Amino acid sequence: MDFPELAARTRRFSRGAPRAVTVAADGSRVVFLRSAGPQDPADALWLLDVPTGEERLVADPAALLGADGETLGPGERALRERLRLSASGIGSYVLDGAGRVAVFALAGRLFRADLVHGDVVEVATFGPVLDPRPDPTGQRLAYVTDAAEGVRRGQLRVVENDGTDTLLAGEDSGVTWGLAEHVAAEEFHRFRGYWWAPDGRSVLAARVDESRVQRWYLHDPADPASPPTTVAYPPAGGLNAEVSLHLLDLDDGWVDVHWDRETYPYLTSVDWADGGPLITVLRRSQQHGLVLAVDPRTGETQVHAELADPRWVEPVPGTPAHLPDGRVLVGGELAHDGYDARCLFADGTLLTPPSLYVRRVVGRLPDGSGPADLLVEASDGEPSERHLFRVRTTIGGGVDARRITTDPGWHTAAVGGDVLVVGSASLDHAGTRWTVWRGEREVAVLRSLAATPPYAPLPLLERVTDRRLPTAVLYPDDHVTGRRLPVLLDVYGGPGHQEVLAARAVWLERQWWADAGFAVVTIDNRGTPGVAPSFEKVIHRRVADVVLLDQVDALTALAGKHPDLDMDRVAVRGWSFGGWLAGLAVLRHPELFRCGVVGAPVTDWALYDTAYTERYLGLPDDGTDIYAHHSLVELAGEPVSGPAAARPLLLVHGMADDNVVAAHTLRLSAALLATGRPHSVLPLTGATHMAAGGTAERLLRLELDFIRQHL
């Protein structure tokens, strides 16, 4: 079995590996999802008993569904797409406050697992289930239902301990309760739409009115008999969904949460733990935001912190949150007195050193001598690595962050009580290894049943140019120095995402490309995270010029260091933002790039969503020239000066893509045809934004044939 087929069957070697790892509040058990083997797509719910170190299967989807099999309802399928959940079986689960109860949806049905005694029961519901969550006491369950006979779309309901299923909120079509709208999930990573009170007696719920939002009607040729899928999708400059928050008491009480929603329309985060609800709201420009404390009795709000940046505000995941002493933890940037850092603050007091680039607050670590410390994921000078740090929160204790992980790599974690579970990816081993620690003692390792990849890539990581751009070069396994190789620039380059990582998984497919006879180059241009706020935000309103300049300059610098790179034979490939960047590279620099694979590209940013596009390019009305400057359609429509200025492109798009709709690629194709530019269009029937399975396997081979033909 060759690499493309093996990667497709194993979901890029992720099937059979633990994921979605959480720890009970008292540290007694570790809960996670894992399928039964390297080609099994159905994730089951597992538990590791920390005192004994033994794993136990909690819920097997095949056993729960029996002969009925698994059929996802349209709402559950859409939610999994939004959460980027590719696995079947149990897609996600939620624990109660103590970690004694887990609930999950499976084929639109609701299940409750008792993690102490091992019982798993199906809970009868009024309609198909989305995003079920137990209250912190484990006595009640809430869920959203959106498709049942006679049911109005987007109802939020509560199931009592005796099985009584009660409507908490719901109204006519076009309004949902308890679900995140598109831009909240896709661009602010707020995937939830409701939050239980700590005592389980009330719910803070989002009401989302999408009646004024533009609709896309997606019709997939793979299923011609089905009606088109309707997607509420706000394009840049268009109308967003109207989002409000409401405190819903289980005894029929109702309190509206008050803030200036006209000025601050984006609700980007909500946290409700001891100390009361905290929310973050942003202006539409995203250059100013507020951290607000909500009074759960009256719904009135009080400003705890202001977030401001002339480019855009970038909150730190895991913040804001209440510390045990009542202070509010806020993530922000330090950009004065020569500092250029992404930091944590407690009521305005700096907690992390300016050298640290804080990525996420994981939770709290116990400290027997005082208040609990924070567990933080951060980088310290090397953007290709992410480490775990213990951050002191003691008042008057100064700035103190101690690194926990020692091995090079990309580390993540989950914590509960005195138990820390560390997930470590590295260039030295395949996959992510999950190690369970109690204090200073390793007590267990979560078993991985994933397939072993056929490659052990060793990319050459280095930073180049005066901007110190992170780069990597990957050669064929049998490369002999002195043999000149065609170059494949494999790009993404978009904000919020890195490609140059010290983790083997990101290089496996690239090693296949290298072994096909290429020197594979990957570059993280300015605009990507991990270095410093100024490195990220220099792209504001000039994304195209900065990212393409960095890609070209870094590639040129690498050619000076690696003489086997044949710069007369350079191809570029990318997907999504990377697809746009690949098209931009070929159209603007045909003298360098001989061909390009343009996958699911945003060809006209005026058609992409409000929050993402306006964050980086501003509002269309404030800069129509900026939008035109970034449009592949406009660029493709320019006259061709000669054959050498018209390099071939392969345009690829999933016909069921509801993020970057296929209309983007069709419009680009029309512009290319009008100016006589050579290109091919490959529509992927049945595929969404990211190709998977057999489609991905076939696509890799077609891309290889195309690039070989034109190099």
Side-chain angles (χ1 to χ4, degrees):
M1 191 184 303
D2 64 359
F3 177 83
E5 183 180 357
L6 184 59
R9 291 193 179 195
T10 62
R11 194 75 187 195
R12 298 187 178 184
F13 308 94
S14 65
R15 288 173 176 164
R19 69 173 187 89
V21 178
T22 54
V23 186
D26 62 0
S28 60
R29 62 192 67 86
V30 177
V31 186
F32 58 98
L33 298 175
R34 185 180 62 205
S35 71
Q39 296 189 37
D40 181 7
D43 279 347
L45 184 66
W46 287 80
L47 175 153
L48 179 129
D49 182 70
V50 174
T52 65
E54 295 180 357
E55 293 182 2
R56 171 166 58 86
L57 176 63
V58 176
D60 179 359
L64 293 175
L65 295 176
D68 294 340
E70 179 178 7
T71 302
L72 300 181
E76 189 176 357
R77 186 179 296 108
L79 185 63
R80 289 194 181 199
E81 283 290 332
R82 183 172 288 178
L83 296 175
R84 298 288 191 264
L85 295 177
S86 57
S88 58
I90 301 172
S92 62
Y93 65 93
V94 183
L95 302 182
D96 68 340
R100 299 170 63 90
V101 171
V103 301
F104 54 90
L106 188 59
R109 294 152 60 182
L110 176 58
F111 293 88
R112 180 186 188 276
D114 184 328
L115 301 180
V116 177
H117 301 100
D119 301 329
V120 180
V121 297
E122 182 173 359
V123 179
T125 59
F126 186 72
V129 172
L130 293 174
D131 195 25
R133 295 180 178 273
D135 82 277
T137 70
Q139 298 301 305
R140 304 173 186 85
L141 310 177
Y143 69 95
V144 178
T145 186
D146 74 341
E149 188 70 28
V151 175
R152 294 168 295 184
R153 183 170 181 264
Q155 287 191 355
L156 178 60
R157 305 184 68 91
V158 172
V159 181
E160 296 286 347
N161 201 30
D162 63 2
T164 304
D165 188 331
T166 306
L167 174 66
L168 198 58
E171 50 192 288
D172 293 335
S173 180
V175 174
T176 63
W177 282 86
L179 291 177
E181 75 280 15
H182 173 86
V183 296
E186 191 70 31
E187 313 306 353
F188 297 116
H189 305 114
R190 175 175 66 78
F191 301 109
R192 300 172 57 178
Y194 70 94
W195 299 263
W196 280 102
D199 64 2
R201 293 299 311 165
S202 58
V203 173
L204 182 59
R207 178 186 183 272
V208 177
D209 184 351
E210 296 180 324
S211 60
R212 63 179 192 170
V213 178
Q214 177 178 300
R215 255 62 175 175
W216 285 104
Y217 296 92
L218 308 180
H219 188 80
D220 188 354
D223 191 8
S226 296
T229 301
T230 304
V231 179
Y233 190 96
L239 295 174
N240 277 311
E242 294 182 292
V243 181
S244 55
L245 270 180
H246 308 269
L247 288 149
L248 310 177
D249 192 280
L250 298 189
D251 297 323
D252 296 329
W254 177 307
V255 174
D256 299 331
V257 176
H258 303 288
W259 82 89
D260 185 353
R261 293 192 290 115
E262 190 70 27
T263 304
Y264 298 93
Y266 287 134
L267 175 68
T268 64
S269 72
V270 178
D271 178 75
W272 195 353
D274 294 334
L278 289 171
I279 66 174
T280 304
V281 294
L282 295 182
R283 290 179 182 265
R284 177 147 180 173
S285 69
Q286 301 172 60
Q287 294 170 341
H288 192 271
L290 302 174
V291 175
L292 302 174
V294 180
D295 185 331
R297 298 168 301 165
T298 66
E300 296 300 322
T301 56
Q302 178 182 359
V303 177
H304 251 298
E306 293 191 44
L307 309 172
D309 191 294
R311 298 150 302 184
W312 71 84
V313 168
E314 190 81 48
V316 173
T319 68
H322 283 287
L323 295 176
D325 59 16
R327 290 178 296 164
V328 174
L329 178 72
V330 175
E333 292 164 4
L334 200 58
H336 57 79
D337 297 331
Y339 293 120
D340 186 13
R342 192 159 157 79
C343 305
L344 295 176
F345 303 85
D347 280 0
T349 300
L350 183 66
L351 294 180
T352 53
S355 62
L356 213 59
Y357 182 98
V358 176
R359 296 178 181 269
R360 182 173 78 104
V361 176
V362 179
R364 300 173 188 168
L365 286 170
D367 184 349
S369 61
D373 295 338
L374 294 175
L375 178 64
V376 171
E377 295 171 355
S379 296
D380 189 4
E382 178 46 65
S384 69
E385 297 185 13
R386 184 177 68 186
H387 289 277
L388 302 177
F389 292 81
R390 176 188 285 266
V391 176
R392 298 297 301 274
T393 63
T394 306
I395 296 176
V399 175
D400 183 7
R402 287 168 286 168
R403 190 165 126 180
I404 296 173
T405 47
T406 56
D407 293 337
W410 195 259
H411 304 274
T412 188
V415 65
D418 61 347
V419 171
L420 172 65
V421 185
V422 179
S424 298
S426 166
L427 291 173
D428 296 330
H429 61 79
T432 298
R433 293 179 178 174
W434 290 93
T435 307
V436 182
W437 297 82
R438 172 157 260 165
E440 300 296 323
R441 184 170 60 92
E442 179 183 323
V443 296
V445 174
L446 302 185
R447 286 188 305 138
S448 176
L449 307 177
T452 301
Y455 305 130
L458 291 174
L460 303 174
L461 307 185
E462 55 187 312
R463 300 179 71 175
V464 299
T465 78
D466 57 345
R467 284 145 274 166
R468 302 197 69 235
L469 302 171
T471 69
V473 179
L474 201 58
Y475 286 105
D477 189 52
D478 61 355
H479 178 62
V480 177
T481 302
R483 179 161 59 95
R484 301 269 282 169
L485 295 170
V487 178
L488 175 62
L489 181 63
D490 195 8
V491 299
Y492 182 77
H497 184 79
Q498 293 173 248
E499 289 292 323
V500 182
L501 301 180
R504 183 175 292 183
V506 301
W507 306 107
L508 294 173
E509 183 181 297
R510 292 180 173 122
Q511 187 65 60
W512 176 79
W513 280 100
D515 286 355
F518 298 91
V520 179
V521 173
T522 300
I523 298 160
D524 280 341
N525 47 255
R526 285 173 295 169
T528 57
V531 177
S534 64
F535 186 91
E536 289 175 75
K537 296 185 176 182
V538 69
I539 64 171
H540 189 236
R541 296 174 73 87
R542 55 193 190 113
V543 178
D545 296 338
V546 173
V547 301
L548 187 54
L549 174 69
D550 284 357
Q551 291 285 332
V552 172
D553 284 358
L555 179 58
T556 303
L558 287 169
K561 294 170 174 283
H562 297 263
D564 288 349
L565 272 60
D566 185 350
M567 295 295 281
D568 290 329
R569 293 185 293 161
V570 180
V572 59
R573 71 183 290 264
W575 198 270
S576 194
F577 186 99
W580 169 78
L581 181 51
L584 187 74
V586 173
L587 291 171
R588 282 199 184 177
H589 289 287
E591 80 287 352
L592 176 59
F593 298 101
R594 299 307 174 97
C595 65
V597 177
V598 179
V602 178
T603 62
D604 182 351
W605 287 99
L607 297 179
Y608 200 60
D609 75 42
T610 50
Y612 185 96
T613 312
E614 294 165 12
R615 180 187 304 155
Y616 307 119
L617 299 184
L619 286 163
D621 288 346
D622 296 337
T624 54
D625 56 331
I626 294 175
Y627 276 73
H629 185 65
H630 286 75
S631 170
L632 294 186
V633 175
E634 295 278 346
L635 193 55
E638 295 178 0
V640 179
S641 59
R647 302 298 189 183
L649 293 170
L650 174 62
L651 312 184
V652 187
H653 217 120
M655 299 306 289
D657 191 338
D658 63 355
N659 180 27
V660 184
V661 295
H664 280 273
T665 290
L666 300 179
R667 294 187 66 208
L668 176 58
S669 176
L672 293 168
L673 280 171
T675 53
R677 298 176 187 268
H679 71 285
S680 302
V681 179
L682 180 60
L684 305 178
T685 57
T688 56
H689 188 54
M690 304 302 291
T695 300
E697 175 192 349
R698 292 187 293 273
L699 178 57
L700 275 177
R701 301 184 198 281
L702 289 169
E703 288 185 60
L704 178 59
D705 289 345
F706 172 83
I707 292 174
R708 279 179 168 165
Q709 176 186 349
H710 294 290
L711 285 188

